[in-house]
């Protein structure tokens, strides 16, 4: 039987988030026309009208969408090197947005961008929007805007399966913790855990490799991401403790593009059934569900 979950339960369920689908329709402007993948819970909109969005104008002139993503996060944003298939909750949220704007799968260019380079990629126009475990913060909002939030999680810890020294964030003194450069988790460790050593890499998968070879004692980022890694190698890795922050995931957008931000927020608000279908096919594979968060119409 399905049930709604708290933040802690979301983290536990994310271990099963290793499947993908594609998604979108609700909240579009104009008629719709079937044109997505057979499993997608959305259709590609046609005759989309979005006045006042320079980002949308650039997409339309180019005839395609450039989306910044992660590709090393199982269940959220993952690229299978063997098949070339992209799967995960964030990937399907990105597809949903593109479809609502009138762009089919073959018109989407996914661009893998490290955490430290996300704001620069948006500001420089290298991508049209970014969907990839991107926590909304006031500091980031000085350079860019966010639509959403579309998901809520919290910072956690990944350690070796045989590690008995670290059971929560209270055990980090004197330990070495790894996270991605430019991420909110690494900044939180620096600010609030002064006795903890930090190591940074461009990607979380590099941190996981360092954990497995013993170079670091723990990896920290959003718990939903860490559970995906632990699920791949349960005999090698485990997640310990409970989330010790609250992270609101948003869609990164060029600053000042209020028309696009409002469009995507309305898509989220009006597209509850589509959001749920995307979640159920990815992070919700256990048969449980979560409440879709309300957007912040700032």
């Amino acid at each position: 039987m399905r049930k709604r979950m708290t933040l802690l339960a979301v983290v536990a369920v994310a271990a099963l988030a290793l499947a993908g689908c594609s998604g979108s329709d609700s909240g579009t402007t104009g008629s719709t026309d079937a044109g997505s993948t057979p499993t997608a819970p959305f259709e590609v909109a046609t005759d989309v009208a979005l006045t006042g969005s320079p980002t949308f104008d650039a997409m339309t002139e180019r005839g395609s969408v450039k989306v910044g993503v992660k590709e090393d996060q199982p269940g959220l944003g993952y690229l299978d090197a063997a098949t070339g298939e992209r799967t995960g909750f964030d990937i399907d949220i990105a597809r949903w947005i593109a479809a609502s704007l009138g762009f089919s799968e073959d018109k989407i260019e996914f661009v893998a961008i490290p955490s430290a380079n996300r704001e620069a990629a948006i500001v420089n126009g290298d991508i049209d929007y970014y969907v990839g475990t991107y926590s909304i913060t006031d500091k980031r909002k000085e350079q860019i805007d966010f639509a959403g939030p579309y998901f809520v999680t919290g910072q956690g810890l990944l350690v070796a399966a045989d590690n008995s020294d670290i059971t929560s964030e209270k055990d980090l003194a004197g330990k070495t913790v790894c996270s991605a450069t430019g991420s909110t988790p690494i900044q939180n460790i620096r600010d609030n855990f002064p006795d903890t050593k930090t190591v940074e890499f461009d990607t979380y998968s590099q941190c996981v490799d360092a954990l497995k070879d013993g170079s670091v004692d723990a990896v920290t980022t959003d718990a939903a991401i860490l559970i995906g890694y632990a699920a791949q190698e349960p005999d090698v890795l485990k997640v310990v403790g409970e989330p010790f922050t609250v992270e609101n995931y948003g869609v990164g957008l060029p600053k000042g593009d209020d028309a696009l931000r409002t469009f995507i927020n309305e898509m989220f608000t009006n597209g509850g059934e589509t959001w749920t279908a995307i979640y159920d096919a990815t992070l919700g594979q256990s048969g449980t569900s979560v409440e879709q968060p309300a957007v912040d119409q700032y």
Side-chain angles (χ1 to χ4, degrees):
M1 183 175 180
R2 300 179 68 210
K3 59 183 180 180
R4 299 194 182 280
M5 299 186 299
T6 63
L7 172 63
L8 300 185
V10 170
V11 171
V13 165
L16 299 169
L18 302 177
C21 85
S22 304
S24 173
D25 180 319
S26 300
T28 61
T29 302
S31 60
T32 58
D33 174 62
S36 186
T37 60
T39 58
F42 61 82
E43 297 176 333
V44 179
T46 60
D47 301 323
V48 179
L50 183 55
T51 303
S53 171
T55 309
F56 178 72
D57 291 343
M59 296 179 200
T60 302
E61 182 176 353
R62 188 191 313 125
S64 64
V65 181
K66 293 183 179 181
V67 185
V69 295
K70 294 290 182 66
E71 56 185 24
D72 65 338
Q73 298 176 351
L76 289 158
Y78 187 73
L79 174 64
D80 187 316
T83 65
E85 181 183 10
R86 292 185 186 272
T87 58
F89 181 71
D90 283 342
I91 296 298
D92 289 339
I93 291 293
R95 288 172 171 143
W96 180 19
I97 295 170
S100 295
L101 291 167
F103 296 91
S104 56
E105 178 80 12
D106 62 339
K107 301 298 183 182
I108 304 174
E109 178 184 349
F110 291 105
V111 184
I113 297 175
S115 296
N117 300 337
R118 290 179 293 199
E119 285 90 87
I122 296 171
V123 171
N124 294 337
D126 298 331
I127 56 175
D128 299 310
Y129 57 90
Y130 189 98
V131 187
T133 61
Y134 203 4
S135 296
I136 300 171
T137 69
D138 290 339
K139 183 177 181 180
R140 287 171 176 163
K141 285 164 70 173
E142 292 175 2
Q143 298 184 64
I144 64 169
D145 279 328
F146 285 98
Y150 63 88
F151 192 66
V152 180
T153 183
Q155 186 171 349
L157 294 169
L158 182 74
V159 300
D162 60 358
N163 185 316
S164 59
D165 295 332
I166 301 175
T167 60
S168 75
E169 76 278 9
K170 298 177 182 178
D171 302 320
L172 293 181
K175 306 298 184 183
T176 301
V177 177
C178 186
S179 193
T181 301
S183 65
T184 51
I186 196 68
Q187 191 61 49
N188 181 45
I189 295 297
R190 284 206 204 90
D191 292 344
N192 298 303
F193 298 84
D195 297 327
T196 300
K197 300 175 184 177
T198 59
V199 173
E200 300 176 37
F201 290 108
D202 285 341
T203 65
Y204 294 116
S205 57
Q206 291 173 289
C207 284
V208 173
D209 288 340
L211 175 61
K212 290 192 291 185
D213 70 22
S215 301
V216 301
D217 299 304
V219 177
T220 187
T221 185
D222 302 337
I225 299 171
L226 299 179
I227 290 291
Y229 288 118
Q232 286 188 318
E233 300 181 272
D235 295 331
V236 179
L237 305 169
K238 66 180 180 181
V239 175
V240 295
E242 298 180 348
F244 50 97
T245 67
V246 175
E247 305 296 336
N248 294 287
Y249 288 170
V251 178
L253 303 170
K255 192 166 184 64
D257 197 331
D258 296 341
L260 182 58
R261 178 167 54 84
T262 298
F263 180 94
I264 296 173
N265 278 339
E266 289 179 351
M267 184 200 78
F268 286 142
T269 299
N270 298 328
E273 291 184 1
T274 301
W275 185 97
T276 299
I278 291 172
Y279 178 87
D280 287 349
T282 53
L283 294 178
Q285 282 292 289
S286 65
T288 54
S289 65
V290 299
E291 291 280 2
Q292 178 186 359
V295 301
D296 178 13
Q297 293 280 18
Y298 67 88

